[in-house]
Amino acid sequence: MAGGGFCKLPGGSVVVALYLPGPPGGGASPGARVRVLVHAANRARALTRLRNLGLRAVYLRGNTEPPTPDEITAVLHHPDGLVWREAPDDDTESWHGIRTLLRSPAA
């Protein structure tokens, strides 16, 4: 999986940042890549949190794109500790909770 990384925080926890394809029918545009941030006790636990949400093929290979200080602040201030955004380079787009990405379209 290209485009991911992590940052160890002073308290021992980590923030993992990954680029993932937006799920079909989710909150992202079709075919878009989204930046997902996860706050957890360690890297394995962060990936397990994503896999438990149904994102099964999630791997962190290397530390090529660790989270920026702004991304770390965003995920630490979110109650779930899981956020995403479609255009990571666009500072005008806000971070969204993971539930908005994974919800099914209204019938």
Side-chain angles (χ1 to χ4, degrees):
M1 169 120 332
F6 68 95
C7 181
K8 190 165 180 126
L9 302 177
S13 61
V14 297
V15 173
V16 173
L18 297 166
Y19 280 107
L20 301 174
S29 301
R33 285 179 17 144
V34 296
R35 179 85 162 171
V36 177
L37 303 174
V38 184
H39 179 234
N42 55 45
R43 287 179 286 173
R45 177 92 36 145
L47 297 176
T48 300
R49 288 185 72 189
L50 289 172
R51 290 181 186 129
N52 287 343
L53 292 171
L55 302 171
R56 298 287 181 208
V58 176
Y59 297 97
L60 180 63
R61 298 177 196 233
N63 199 16
T64 58
E65 294 184 40
T68 64
D70 290 336
E71 291 175 332
I72 293 170
T73 301
V75 74
L76 289 177
H77 283 90
H78 194 273
D80 291 339
L82 268 159
V83 294
W84 70 278
R85 136 166 115 177
E86 189 172 338
D89 298 331
D90 183 8
D91 291 335
T92 61
E93 183 184 1
S94 63
W95 291 94
H96 311 282
I98 197 73
R99 287 181 181 91
T100 61
L101 180 65
L102 300 175
R103 69 176 170 217
S104 60

